[in-house]
């Protein structure tokens, strides 16, 4: 464990953490992590390739799905280097500026993914509640505007948060609980008053992920009301079936995020292993599961993947 000079207030480096208590097994532990990364990167890459190359999938629903895959791909790539460095080379050091940069991408892609899930909920709402106007409401130009709004929203929210972090002084241990830089984790190490940072961070979370969650829930209340008014049980089942993939994606995104937030706020006495495991679940499970869910549950995606695979095989 590195020793720290308590008189140093602006850290040259932070020290990332692998799996506490299992450092000697990091090489073996890296195998399942590498498998998860490979699955996430290849799965989301395949989704993007299929949607781009297949003209029949150039529809609003699949455009939003491609945005989701892009965010998941970015989230994986933003932590891959530090994760591999820790497990393979015990490279735990990360400079303060590099840490800030990694936080920008991790939190940025997270907030963008939340916005995309909200856009997908709106897509399902229009498709079920107002299907006759679906094509006129969700035009290509509007989808492009939504994409730009998603990126701008995620970026603008983060810049002041990270600038506020740079003004802090750090005179405590510089050892982080995770294998990547996470804003609450870094902020807890400061010996400066962090009330402004905490309040601003909470405001951003409420105005992005929390607001999106409420709007997604509201959209599904309206969707359920509309579906229950359909007379035919077969049509009701079909309408609900179009939402299953999105509901699953929402669940695997928000449950790990809420769990990690609760651990950081109320789990100060929890073992370091708990922090690390939940942080890794939050980071890897959504990018791994989303391609699997949409490949299994979405017939068009599944059939196109099989067609491409068989054509390459032949």
């Amino acid at each position: 464990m590195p020793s720290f000079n308590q008189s140093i207030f602006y850290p040259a480096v932070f020290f990332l953490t692998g799996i506490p208590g299992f450092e000697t097994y990091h090489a073996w532990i890296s195998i399942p992590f590498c498998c998860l990364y490979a699955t996430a990167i290849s799965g989301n890459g395949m989704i993007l390739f299929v949607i781009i190359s297949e003209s029949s999938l150039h529809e609003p629903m699949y455009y939003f799905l491609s945005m989701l895959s892009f965010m998941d791909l970015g989230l994986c790539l933003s932590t891959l280097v530090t994760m591999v460095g820790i497990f393979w080379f015990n490279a735990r050091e990360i400079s303060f500026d590099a840490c800030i940069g990694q936080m920008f991408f991790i939190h940025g892609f997270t907030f963008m993914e939340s916005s995309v899930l909200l856009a997908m909920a709106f897509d399902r709402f229009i498709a079920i509640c107002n299907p006759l106007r679906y094509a006129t409401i969700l035009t290509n130009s509007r989808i492009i505007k939504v994409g730009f709004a998603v990126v701008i929203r995620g970026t603008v929210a983060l810049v002041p948060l990270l600038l506020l972090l740079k003004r802090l002084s750090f005179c405590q241990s510089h050892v982080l609980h995770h294998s990547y830089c996470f804003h609450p984790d870094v902020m807890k190490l400061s010996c400066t008053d962090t009330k402004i940072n905490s309040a601003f961070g909470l405001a951003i979370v409420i105005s992005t992920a929390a607001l999106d969650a409420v709007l997604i829930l509201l959209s599904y209340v309206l969707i359920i009301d509309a579906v229950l008014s359909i007379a035919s049980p077969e049509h009701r089942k079909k309408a609900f079936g179009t939402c299953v993939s999105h509901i699953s994606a929402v669940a695997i995104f928000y449950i790990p995020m809420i769990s990690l937030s609760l651990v950081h706020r109320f789990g100060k006495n929890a073992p370091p292993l708990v922090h690390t495991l939940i942080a890794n679940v939050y980071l890897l499970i959504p990018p791994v599961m989303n391609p699997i869910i949409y490949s299994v549950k979405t017939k068009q995606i599944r059939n196109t993947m099989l067609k491409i695979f068989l054509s390459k095989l032949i």
Side-chain angles (χ1 to χ4, degrees):
M1 181 66 65
S3 60
F4 301 97
N5 187 343
Q6 296 296 319
S7 64
I8 297 177
F9 287 85
Y10 190 83
V13 294
F14 285 113
F15 293 86
L16 301 171
T17 300
I19 307 296
F22 296 88
E23 287 80 5
T24 55
Y25 304 103
H26 273 178
W28 292 104
I29 294 173
S30 69
I31 296 174
F33 276 95
C34 288
C35 290
L36 289 174
Y37 271 106
T39 302
I41 292 171
S42 60
N44 287 290
M46 178 61 76
I47 292 286
L48 285 170
F49 175 76
V50 165
I51 293 174
I52 291 171
S53 61
E54 185 61 43
S55 58
S56 64
L57 299 180
H58 293 176
E59 298 177 3
M61 173 183 172
Y62 301 109
Y63 287 143
F64 290 131
L65 177 56
S66 66
M67 292 182 197
L68 184 69
S69 293
F70 182 79
M71 303 310 165
D72 282 335
L73 200 58
L75 192 60
C76 282
L77 294 176
S78 62
T79 60
L80 178 61
V81 174
T82 55
M83 190 80 78
V84 169
I86 292 170
F87 286 130
W88 287 2
F89 308 107
N90 197 32
R92 296 178 53 206
E93 295 186 9
I94 184 170
S95 69
F96 184 70
D97 289 332
C99 194
I100 292 287
Q102 189 180 51
M103 273 190 285
F104 176 80
F105 287 107
I106 291 174
H107 292 290
F109 282 121
T110 299
F111 293 148
M112 291 178 202
E113 184 161 340
S114 174
S115 300
V116 171
L117 288 172
L118 174 59
M120 295 174 81
F122 180 72
D123 170 80
R124 291 299 83 204
F125 169 75
I126 297 297
I128 292 174
C129 299
N130 204 345
L132 297 179
R133 296 188 59 198
Y134 181 80
T136 58
I137 294 174
L138 291 175
T139 60
N140 288 343
S141 61
R142 284 178 178 166
I143 292 172
I144 292 172
K145 290 176 183 177
V146 169
F148 277 113
V150 165
V151 174
I152 292 170
R153 185 193 188 203
T155 303
V156 170
L158 274 178
V159 171
L161 182 69
L162 299 181
L163 290 176
L164 283 172
L165 192 65
K166 287 183 72 72
R167 73 179 180 84
L168 298 180
S169 298
F170 297 84
C171 54
Q172 302 178 26
S173 168
H174 297 165
V175 178
L176 299 171
H177 286 103
H178 311 318
S179 51
Y180 56 88
C181 291
F182 187 63
H183 179 264
D185 196 20
V186 175
M187 188 176 61
K188 285 194 301 185
L189 300 182
S190 174
C191 55
T192 316
D193 184 8
T194 59
K195 289 181 181 178
I196 295 176
N197 298 71
S198 297
F200 195 79
L202 182 62
I204 289 176
V205 171
I206 291 174
S207 62
T208 53
L211 177 61
D212 292 346
V214 171
L215 293 175
I216 290 171
L217 180 63
L218 177 61
S219 69
Y220 272 102
V221 170
L222 298 174
I223 287 171
I224 291 171
D225 181 63
V227 170
L228 292 178
S229 64
I230 298 174
S232 169
E234 183 179 346
H235 289 166
R236 282 202 300 267
K237 183 179 179 180
K238 184 178 179 181
F240 275 128
T242 63
C243 300
V244 170
S245 299
H246 180 252
I247 293 172
S248 302
V250 169
I252 64 172
F253 175 78
Y254 278 102
I255 291 174
M257 175 189 281
I258 293 170
S259 301
L260 184 60
S261 299
L262 291 175
V263 166
H264 270 285
R265 289 195 174 272
F266 306 110
K268 294 180 180 179
N269 298 322
L273 183 61
V274 173
H275 288 264
T276 303
L277 290 178
I278 293 179
N280 288 325
V281 167
Y282 157 77
L283 177 74
L284 286 172
I285 293 303
V288 169
M289 292 303 300
N290 282 336
I292 295 173
I293 290 170
Y294 279 96
S295 299
V296 172
K297 293 293 185 181
T298 308
K299 182 180 179 181
Q300 293 87 336
I301 294 286
R302 184 175 65 253
N303 289 345
T304 306
M305 282 186 172
L306 289 173
K307 184 174 72 173
I308 292 173
F309 177 76
L310 290 175
S311 65
K312 296 293 182 183
L313 191 63
I314 293 172

